[in-house]
Amino acid sequence: MQLLINSNVNVLDRLFCISLLALLFIDVIELWVTSLGMSGAIGPHGVVLPHSIPQTRSEEYLFMPSIHVCQRAKPYLIILVATAPHNRKARQAIRDTWGGEIQVRGHQVMTLFIVGQPSDPVIGKELIEESKERGDLIQGRFIDSYGNLTLKTLSMLGWARRFCPQAHYLAKVDDDVLFNPSALLQYLNLRFKTEENDLTELYLGRVHMQVAPDHNPASKHFMSETAYAGMVFPDYCSGTAYVLSQPALLKLSLAADAISLPRPLYPEDVFVGICAHMAGITPTHSPLFSGSLAVPYGRCCYQTMVSVHHTKPGDMVHYWKEVHSTAPCSWLGVRTSLGVCKIRALLGTLLGKDS
Ligand SMILES: *[C@@H]1O[C@H](CO)[C@@H](O)[C@H](O)[C@H]1NC(C)=O
């Protein structure tokens, strides 16, 4: 009898230890599981890089900061925020928190916003005013709408390639994302300690695997069978926030210029994934990007995450203050907080709370 109780206790102890370890190293487990699911092998490399860089497609910019903005600021990381014309509050929250031109971990970081043309002329005028006042807006020549997000990305890739070749990394971030340049630079420094001139091709974010095209015409993400014939899209990074190194940006945007666009357009992140696939670039998964998951607030968790989606402008300012006005979390603090917020995010999705 005594023996039986003892062995039961042993099993419980072990279970407890395993759960605790799983909680503390949840990001390692996530990386491993993701690596199992990824397509890995890359198909034919569709893109032959020309010797001279061709002019970008018909991208034109109705307004933008000075064309010398990157020559002057020499950003190591440029963050381009995809924003809708009427989201002025979101842009302001970003300027008040992680945006602007800042020095992070010894590197210059610059944040600019990219918009299309609003259908409402009043908003159009306000946007011009805002651009004059702040000098951090780029406007592409296309109607700004959900269905046109891919054009915004094309515009962004073309702009970065042409006007900001100095940047070592480009981050594309949505305007409802709490981004953390310091956490990103820490991650990059740890993982890619390479010589200045020897940047590797990197396409980093939360990787979506084995996503099938949506053939339902009523859906927001409708994709006709003629537009995409494959069973699944190539693995791609969630469009909420992803990072491209300079060489990856160059190859990817050349591939983007070579691709013919179907109607309706590909979803923005799928499009980038297809271009990366054509260019022979595999996405890299990082558990520190939330993707479209809503990650509940935890101070140490938010100190560590690179991107957190679904953040309202007011919350962004509030969280930022709380996260950055306090001392850095301890190793254990980070591990526990990350484990707890990831499990809560996962439960939230399973229970259908995520939109
Ligand atoms: C996308 O932009 C183009 C160019 O401005 C415009 O002709 C088209 O109607 C827009 N499409 C959508 C779905 O808004």
Short mmCIF file of all heavy atoms in Angstrom, two decimals, residues 131-184:
data_model
loop_
_atom_site.label_atom_id
_atom_site.label_comp_id
_atom_site.label_asym_id
_atom_site.label_seq_id
_atom_site.Cartn_x
_atom_site.Cartn_y
_atom_site.Cartn_z
N SER A 131 1.13 64.82 -43.25
CA SER A 131 2.41 64.52 -43.88
C SER A 131 3.36 65.71 -43.81
O SER A 131 4.55 65.56 -43.54
CB SER A 131 2.15 64.11 -45.33
OG SER A 131 3.31 64.27 -46.09
N LYS A 132 2.81 66.92 -44.04
CA LYS A 132 3.64 68.14 -43.97
C LYS A 132 4.16 68.34 -42.55
O LYS A 132 5.30 68.72 -42.33
CB LYS A 132 2.81 69.36 -44.37
CG LYS A 132 2.69 69.52 -45.87
CD LYS A 132 2.01 70.85 -46.20
CE LYS A 132 1.64 70.92 -47.66
NZ LYS A 132 0.39 71.71 -47.85
N GLU A 133 3.26 68.08 -41.59
CA GLU A 133 3.58 68.33 -40.20
C GLU A 133 4.61 67.33 -39.67
O GLU A 133 5.54 67.69 -38.97
CB GLU A 133 2.28 68.18 -39.41
CG GLU A 133 2.19 68.91 -38.12
CD GLU A 133 0.79 68.72 -37.56
OE1 GLU A 133 -0.19 69.24 -38.17
OE2 GLU A 133 0.66 68.02 -36.55
N ARG A 134 4.43 66.05 -40.03
CA ARG A 134 5.25 65.00 -39.41
C ARG A 134 6.37 64.49 -40.31
O ARG A 134 7.35 63.94 -39.81
CB ARG A 134 4.37 63.80 -39.01
CG ARG A 134 3.12 64.16 -38.23
CD ARG A 134 3.40 64.86 -36.91
NE ARG A 134 4.43 64.21 -36.14
CZ ARG A 134 4.38 63.99 -34.84
NH1 ARG A 134 3.32 64.36 -34.15
NH2 ARG A 134 5.37 63.41 -34.21
N GLY A 135 6.17 64.58 -41.61
CA GLY A 135 7.22 64.13 -42.54
C GLY A 135 7.53 62.65 -42.46
O GLY A 135 8.65 62.23 -42.77
N ASP A 136 6.56 61.84 -42.04
CA ASP A 136 6.86 60.41 -41.92
C ASP A 136 5.86 59.53 -42.68
O ASP A 136 5.68 58.37 -42.37
CB ASP A 136 6.93 60.00 -40.44
CG ASP A 136 5.64 60.30 -39.69
OD1 ASP A 136 4.67 60.77 -40.32
OD2 ASP A 136 5.59 60.04 -38.47
N LEU A 137 5.19 60.14 -43.68
CA LEU A 137 4.19 59.38 -44.44
C LEU A 137 4.64 59.17 -45.89
O LEU A 137 5.24 60.07 -46.49
CB LEU A 137 2.86 60.12 -44.46
CG LEU A 137 2.06 60.18 -43.16
CD1 LEU A 137 0.94 61.20 -43.29
CD2 LEU A 137 1.46 58.82 -42.86
N ILE A 138 4.35 57.99 -46.40
CA ILE A 138 4.56 57.70 -47.82
C ILE A 138 3.20 57.34 -48.39
O ILE A 138 2.50 56.50 -47.82
CB ILE A 138 5.49 56.47 -48.00
CG1 ILE A 138 6.83 56.70 -47.31
CG2 ILE A 138 5.68 56.14 -49.47
CD1 ILE A 138 7.64 55.41 -47.16
N GLN A 139 2.80 57.98 -49.50
CA GLN A 139 1.51 57.63 -50.09
C GLN A 139 1.72 57.04 -51.48
O GLN A 139 2.34 57.66 -52.34
CB GLN A 139 0.59 58.84 -50.17
CG GLN A 139 -0.82 58.45 -50.61
CD GLN A 139 -1.75 59.63 -50.71
OE1 GLN A 139 -1.41 60.66 -51.30
NE2 GLN A 139 -2.93 59.52 -50.14
N GLY A 140 1.20 55.85 -51.67
CA GLY A 140 1.28 55.20 -52.98
C GLY A 140 0.09 55.56 -53.84
O GLY A 140 -0.94 56.01 -53.33
N ARG A 141 0.20 55.32 -55.15
CA ARG A 141 -0.88 55.68 -56.07
C ARG A 141 -1.81 54.49 -56.27
O ARG A 141 -1.70 53.76 -57.25
CB ARG A 141 -0.28 56.12 -57.42
CG ARG A 141 -1.27 56.82 -58.34
CD ARG A 141 -0.65 57.10 -59.70
NE ARG A 141 0.32 58.18 -59.67
CZ ARG A 141 0.01 59.47 -59.72
NH1 ARG A 141 -1.25 59.84 -59.79
NH2 ARG A 141 0.96 60.37 -59.71
N PHE A 142 -2.69 54.26 -55.34
CA PHE A 142 -3.74 53.24 -55.45
C PHE A 142 -4.80 53.56 -54.41
O PHE A 142 -4.51 54.25 -53.42
CB PHE A 142 -3.16 51.83 -55.21
CG PHE A 142 -2.45 51.72 -53.89
CD1 PHE A 142 -3.14 51.41 -52.72
CD2 PHE A 142 -1.08 51.94 -53.81
CE1 PHE A 142 -2.48 51.34 -51.50
CE2 PHE A 142 -0.42 51.88 -52.59
CZ PHE A 142 -1.11 51.57 -51.44
N ILE A 143 -6.02 53.10 -54.66
CA ILE A 143 -7.10 53.32 -53.69
C ILE A 143 -6.82 52.48 -52.45
O ILE A 143 -6.60 51.27 -52.55
CB ILE A 143 -8.47 52.93 -54.29
CG1 ILE A 143 -8.75 53.71 -55.58
CG2 ILE A 143 -9.57 53.11 -53.26
CD1 ILE A 143 -9.06 55.16 -55.40
N ASP A 144 -6.85 53.11 -51.29
CA ASP A 144 -6.58 52.39 -50.05
C ASP A 144 -7.82 51.62 -49.64
O ASP A 144 -8.84 52.20 -49.26
CB ASP A 144 -6.19 53.39 -48.95
CG ASP A 144 -5.50 52.70 -47.79
OD1 ASP A 144 -6.13 51.83 -47.17
OD2 ASP A 144 -4.33 53.03 -47.52
N SER A 145 -7.77 50.30 -49.77
CA SER A 145 -8.90 49.47 -49.37
C SER A 145 -8.36 48.11 -48.94
O SER A 145 -7.20 47.79 -49.24
CB SER A 145 -9.86 49.28 -50.54
OG SER A 145 -9.20 48.58 -51.58
N TYR A 146 -9.19 47.34 -48.27
CA TYR A 146 -8.74 46.03 -47.80
C TYR A 146 -8.28 45.17 -48.98
O TYR A 146 -7.25 44.52 -48.93
CB TYR A 146 -9.85 45.33 -47.01
CG TYR A 146 -9.37 44.05 -46.41
CD1 TYR A 146 -8.67 44.06 -45.20
CD2 TYR A 146 -9.55 42.83 -47.06
CE1 TYR A 146 -8.18 42.90 -44.66
CE2 TYR A 146 -9.05 41.66 -46.53
CZ TYR A 146 -8.37 41.70 -45.33
OH TYR A 146 -7.87 40.55 -44.79
N GLY A 147 -9.06 45.25 -50.06
CA GLY A 147 -8.74 44.42 -51.23
C GLY A 147 -7.45 44.83 -51.93
O GLY A 147 -6.93 44.10 -52.77
N ASN A 148 -6.94 46.01 -51.60
CA ASN A 148 -5.74 46.52 -52.26
C ASN A 148 -4.49 46.44 -51.39
O ASN A 148 -3.47 47.04 -51.74
CB ASN A 148 -5.97 47.99 -52.68
CG ASN A 148 -6.42 48.09 -54.14
OD1 ASN A 148 -6.37 47.11 -54.87
ND2 ASN A 148 -6.83 49.27 -54.54
N LEU A 149 -4.56 45.69 -50.30
CA LEU A 149 -3.40 45.64 -49.39
C LEU A 149 -2.13 45.13 -50.08
O LEU A 149 -1.02 45.55 -49.75
CB LEU A 149 -3.71 44.74 -48.18
CG LEU A 149 -4.51 45.43 -47.07
CD1 LEU A 149 -4.71 44.48 -45.90
CD2 LEU A 149 -3.81 46.69 -46.60
N THR A 150 -2.33 44.26 -51.06
CA THR A 150 -1.16 43.74 -51.77
C THR A 150 -0.45 44.87 -52.53
O THR A 150 0.77 44.88 -52.63
CB THR A 150 -1.60 42.62 -52.72
OG1 THR A 150 -2.16 41.59 -51.92
CG2 THR A 150 -0.45 42.04 -53.51
N LEU A 151 -1.25 45.81 -53.06
CA LEU A 151 -0.63 46.96 -53.76
C LEU A 151 0.17 47.80 -52.78
O LEU A 151 1.20 48.37 -53.12
CB LEU A 151 -1.70 47.82 -54.44
CG LEU A 151 -2.51 47.12 -55.54
CD1 LEU A 151 -3.46 48.11 -56.21
CD2 LEU A 151 -1.58 46.50 -56.58
N LYS A 152 -0.32 47.88 -51.54
CA LYS A 152 0.40 48.64 -50.52
C LYS A 152 1.76 47.99 -50.26
O LYS A 152 2.78 48.67 -50.16
CB LYS A 152 -0.42 48.69 -49.23
CG LYS A 152 0.04 49.73 -48.25
CD LYS A 152 -0.89 49.83 -47.05
CE LYS A 152 -2.06 50.76 -47.30
NZ LYS A 152 -2.95 50.89 -46.12
N THR A 153 1.75 46.68 -50.21
CA THR A 153 3.01 45.97 -49.97
C THR A 153 3.97 46.12 -51.15
O THR A 153 5.17 46.33 -50.96
CB THR A 153 2.72 44.49 -49.69
OG1 THR A 153 2.04 44.44 -48.46
CG2 THR A 153 3.97 43.67 -49.61
N LEU A 154 3.44 46.04 -52.37
CA LEU A 154 4.28 46.25 -53.55
C LEU A 154 4.92 47.62 -53.51
O LEU A 154 6.11 47.80 -53.79
CB LEU A 154 3.42 46.16 -54.81
CG LEU A 154 3.36 44.79 -55.48
CD1 LEU A 154 2.33 44.80 -56.59
CD2 LEU A 154 4.74 44.43 -56.03
N SER A 155 4.10 48.58 -53.13
CA SER A 155 4.55 49.96 -53.03
C SER A 155 5.66 50.07 -51.98
O SER A 155 6.68 50.72 -52.20
CB SER A 155 3.33 50.76 -52.60
OG SER A 155 3.43 52.07 -52.91
N MET A 156 5.45 49.37 -50.87
CA MET A 156 6.42 49.39 -49.77
C MET A 156 7.75 48.75 -50.19
O MET A 156 8.83 49.31 -49.97
CB MET A 156 5.83 48.63 -48.58
CG MET A 156 6.80 48.43 -47.46
SD MET A 156 6.20 47.23 -46.26
CE MET A 156 6.62 45.70 -47.09
N LEU A 157 7.66 47.59 -50.84
CA LEU A 157 8.88 46.89 -51.26
C LEU A 157 9.66 47.76 -52.25
O LEU A 157 10.88 47.90 -52.15
CB LEU A 157 8.54 45.54 -51.91
CG LEU A 157 7.93 44.47 -51.02
CD1 LEU A 157 7.48 43.27 -51.85
CD2 LEU A 157 8.93 44.02 -49.96
N GLY A 158 8.91 48.34 -53.20
CA GLY A 158 9.55 49.18 -54.21
C GLY A 158 10.22 50.39 -53.57
O GLY A 158 11.34 50.76 -53.92
N TRP A 159 9.54 50.98 -52.59
CA TRP A 159 10.08 52.17 -51.95
C TRP A 159 11.37 51.83 -51.19
O TRP A 159 12.39 52.52 -51.32
CB TRP A 159 9.06 52.79 -50.99
CG TRP A 159 9.50 54.14 -50.51
CD1 TRP A 159 9.24 55.34 -51.11
CD2 TRP A 159 10.31 54.41 -49.36
NE1 TRP A 159 9.86 56.34 -50.40
CE2 TRP A 159 10.52 55.81 -49.33
CE3 TRP A 159 10.90 53.62 -48.36
CZ2 TRP A 159 11.28 56.43 -48.33
CZ3 TRP A 159 11.64 54.24 -47.38
CH2 TRP A 159 11.82 55.64 -47.37
N ALA A 160 11.31 50.77 -50.43
CA ALA A 160 12.47 50.39 -49.60
C ALA A 160 13.67 50.05 -50.49
O ALA A 160 14.80 50.41 -50.20
CB ALA A 160 12.11 49.21 -48.71
N ARG A 161 13.39 49.37 -51.59
CA ARG A 161 14.47 48.98 -52.49
C ARG A 161 15.13 50.20 -53.12
O ARG A 161 16.34 50.27 -53.27
CB ARG A 161 13.89 48.07 -53.57
CG ARG A 161 14.94 47.42 -54.43
CD ARG A 161 14.30 46.43 -55.37
NE ARG A 161 14.13 46.98 -56.69
CZ ARG A 161 13.31 46.46 -57.60
NH1 ARG A 161 12.56 45.41 -57.32
NH2 ARG A 161 13.21 47.00 -58.79
N ARG A 162 14.26 51.17 -53.49
CA ARG A 162 14.78 52.32 -54.23
C ARG A 162 15.34 53.40 -53.32
O ARG A 162 16.37 53.98 -53.62
CB ARG A 162 13.61 52.89 -55.04
CG ARG A 162 14.03 53.77 -56.16
CD ARG A 162 12.93 53.76 -57.21
NE ARG A 162 12.54 55.10 -57.59
CZ ARG A 162 11.36 55.41 -58.09
NH1 ARG A 162 10.42 54.47 -58.23
NH2 ARG A 162 11.08 56.64 -58.45
N PHE A 163 14.67 53.66 -52.22
CA PHE A 163 15.05 54.82 -51.41
C PHE A 163 15.74 54.48 -50.10
O PHE A 163 16.16 55.37 -49.38
CB PHE A 163 13.82 55.70 -51.11
CG PHE A 163 13.20 56.27 -52.35
CD1 PHE A 163 11.97 55.80 -52.80
CD2 PHE A 163 13.85 57.25 -53.08
CE1 PHE A 163 11.40 56.32 -53.95
CE2 PHE A 163 13.28 57.77 -54.23
CZ PHE A 163 12.06 57.30 -54.68
N CYS A 164 15.81 53.18 -49.75
CA CYS A 164 16.43 52.87 -48.47
C CYS A 164 17.33 51.64 -48.53
O CYS A 164 17.24 50.76 -47.67
CB CYS A 164 15.35 52.69 -47.41
SG CYS A 164 15.94 53.16 -45.78
N PRO A 165 18.21 51.58 -49.55
CA PRO A 165 19.09 50.40 -49.64
C PRO A 165 20.10 50.34 -48.49
O PRO A 165 20.74 49.32 -48.28
CB PRO A 165 19.79 50.58 -50.99
CG PRO A 165 19.76 52.05 -51.26
CD PRO A 165 18.50 52.56 -50.61
N GLN A 166 20.19 51.44 -47.72
CA GLN A 166 21.14 51.49 -46.59
C GLN A 166 20.70 50.57 -45.45
O GLN A 166 21.53 50.10 -44.68
CB GLN A 166 21.23 52.91 -46.02
CG GLN A 166 21.84 53.94 -46.93
CD GLN A 166 20.80 54.56 -47.88
OE1 GLN A 166 19.66 54.08 -47.96
NE2 GLN A 166 21.19 55.59 -48.58
N ALA A 167 19.38 50.38 -45.33
CA ALA A 167 18.88 49.63 -44.17
C ALA A 167 19.27 48.16 -44.26
O ALA A 167 19.15 47.54 -45.32
CB ALA A 167 17.37 49.77 -44.09
N HIS A 168 19.74 47.60 -43.18
CA HIS A 168 20.09 46.18 -43.17
C HIS A 168 18.84 45.31 -43.07
O HIS A 168 18.79 44.22 -43.59
CB HIS A 168 21.01 45.87 -41.99
CG HIS A 168 22.37 46.44 -42.15
ND1 HIS A 168 23.50 45.82 -41.68
CD2 HIS A 168 22.80 47.57 -42.75
CE1 HIS A 168 24.56 46.54 -41.97
NE2 HIS A 168 24.16 47.61 -42.60
N TYR A 169 17.85 45.84 -42.37
CA TYR A 169 16.60 45.10 -42.20
C TYR A 169 15.40 46.00 -42.44
O TYR A 169 15.42 47.18 -42.10
CB TYR A 169 16.49 44.52 -40.79
CG TYR A 169 17.53 43.47 -40.50
CD1 TYR A 169 18.69 43.79 -39.79
CD2 TYR A 169 17.36 42.16 -40.94
CE1 TYR A 169 19.65 42.81 -39.54
CE2 TYR A 169 18.32 41.19 -40.69
CZ TYR A 169 19.46 41.52 -40.00
OH TYR A 169 20.41 40.57 -39.76
N LEU A 170 14.37 45.41 -43.03
CA LEU A 170 13.08 46.08 -43.18
C LEU A 170 12.05 45.30 -42.38
O LEU A 170 11.97 44.07 -42.50
CB LEU A 170 12.66 46.09 -44.66
CG LEU A 170 11.17 46.31 -44.93
CD1 LEU A 170 10.79 47.77 -44.73
CD2 LEU A 170 10.79 45.90 -46.35
N ALA A 171 11.26 46.00 -41.55
CA ALA A 171 10.15 45.34 -40.87
C ALA A 171 8.87 45.92 -41.42
O ALA A 171 8.72 47.14 -41.50
CB ALA A 171 10.22 45.55 -39.37
N LYS A 172 7.94 45.07 -41.85
CA LYS A 172 6.61 45.54 -42.23
C LYS A 172 5.71 45.23 -41.04
O LYS A 172 5.65 44.09 -40.55
CB LYS A 172 6.13 44.79 -43.47
CG LYS A 172 4.76 45.22 -43.97
CD LYS A 172 3.64 44.40 -43.40
CE LYS A 172 2.28 44.89 -43.86
NZ LYS A 172 1.19 44.01 -43.37
N VAL A 173 5.03 46.26 -40.57
CA VAL A 173 4.22 46.11 -39.36
C VAL A 173 2.86 46.75 -39.59
O VAL A 173 2.77 47.82 -40.21
CB VAL A 173 4.93 46.79 -38.16
CG1 VAL A 173 4.12 46.64 -36.89
CG2 VAL A 173 6.32 46.22 -37.94
N ASP A 174 1.78 46.13 -39.12
CA ASP A 174 0.45 46.73 -39.21
C ASP A 174 0.26 47.77 -38.10
O ASP A 174 0.93 47.71 -37.08
CB ASP A 174 -0.63 45.65 -39.08
CG ASP A 174 -0.81 44.89 -40.39
OD1 ASP A 174 -0.33 45.38 -41.42
OD2 ASP A 174 -1.44 43.81 -40.36
N ASP A 175 -0.70 48.69 -38.32
CA ASP A 175 -0.81 49.79 -37.36
C ASP A 175 -1.54 49.42 -36.06
O ASP A 175 -1.66 50.24 -35.16
CB ASP A 175 -1.42 51.04 -38.02
CG ASP A 175 -2.86 50.85 -38.44
OD1 ASP A 175 -3.42 49.76 -38.20
OD2 ASP A 175 -3.44 51.78 -39.03
N ASP A 176 -2.02 48.17 -35.96
CA ASP A 176 -2.63 47.74 -34.69
C ASP A 176 -1.71 46.75 -33.96
O ASP A 176 -2.17 45.90 -33.21
CB ASP A 176 -4.01 47.12 -34.92
CG ASP A 176 -3.96 45.95 -35.89
OD1 ASP A 176 -2.91 45.76 -36.55
OD2 ASP A 176 -4.97 45.23 -35.99
N VAL A 177 -0.41 46.86 -34.25
CA VAL A 177 0.56 45.96 -33.64
C VAL A 177 1.46 46.75 -32.69
O VAL A 177 1.95 47.82 -33.02
CB VAL A 177 1.42 45.28 -34.74
CG1 VAL A 177 2.64 44.61 -34.14
CG2 VAL A 177 0.59 44.28 -35.52
N LEU A 178 1.63 46.20 -31.48
CA LEU A 178 2.61 46.76 -30.56
C LEU A 178 3.94 46.10 -30.91
O LEU A 178 4.12 44.90 -30.70
CB LEU A 178 2.21 46.45 -29.12
CG LEU A 178 3.17 46.92 -28.03
CD1 LEU A 178 3.40 48.41 -28.11
CD2 LEU A 178 2.62 46.56 -26.66
N PHE A 179 4.83 46.88 -31.51
CA PHE A 179 6.10 46.35 -31.99
C PHE A 179 7.18 46.68 -30.98
O PHE A 179 7.07 47.64 -30.23
CB PHE A 179 6.41 46.94 -33.37
CG PHE A 179 7.44 46.17 -34.14
CD1 PHE A 179 7.17 44.89 -34.61
CD2 PHE A 179 8.69 46.73 -34.44
CE1 PHE A 179 8.11 44.18 -35.33
CE2 PHE A 179 9.64 46.01 -35.16
CZ PHE A 179 9.34 44.74 -35.61
N ASN A 180 8.25 45.88 -30.98
CA ASN A 180 9.28 46.04 -29.97
C ASN A 180 10.66 45.96 -30.65
O ASN A 180 11.27 44.89 -30.70
CB ASN A 180 9.10 44.93 -28.94
CG ASN A 180 9.99 45.08 -27.73
OD1 ASN A 180 10.95 45.86 -27.75
ND2 ASN A 180 9.68 44.34 -26.69
N PRO A 181 11.14 47.10 -31.21
CA PRO A 181 12.40 47.08 -31.96
C PRO A 181 13.56 46.52 -31.13
O PRO A 181 14.42 45.81 -31.66
CB PRO A 181 12.66 48.56 -32.28
CG PRO A 181 11.33 49.22 -32.18
CD PRO A 181 10.56 48.45 -31.16
N SER A 182 13.56 46.81 -29.83
CA SER A 182 14.66 46.35 -28.99
C SER A 182 14.68 44.82 -28.92
O SER A 182 15.74 44.19 -29.03
CB SER A 182 14.49 46.95 -27.60
OG SER A 182 15.39 46.37 -26.73
N ALA A 183 13.51 44.20 -28.77
CA ALA A 183 13.44 42.73 -28.72
C ALA A 183 13.86 42.14 -30.07
O ALA A 183 14.53 41.11 -30.12
CB ALA A 183 12.04 42.28 -28.36
N LEU A 184 13.48 42.81 -31.17
CA LEU A 184 13.88 42.31 -32.49
C LEU A 184 15.39 42.37 -32.66
O LEU A 184 16.02 41.41 -33.10
CB LEU A 184 13.19 43.12 -33.60
CG LEU A 184 13.68 42.79 -35.01
CD1 LEU A 184 13.34 41.36 -35.39
CD2 LEU A 184 13.11 43.75 -36.05
#
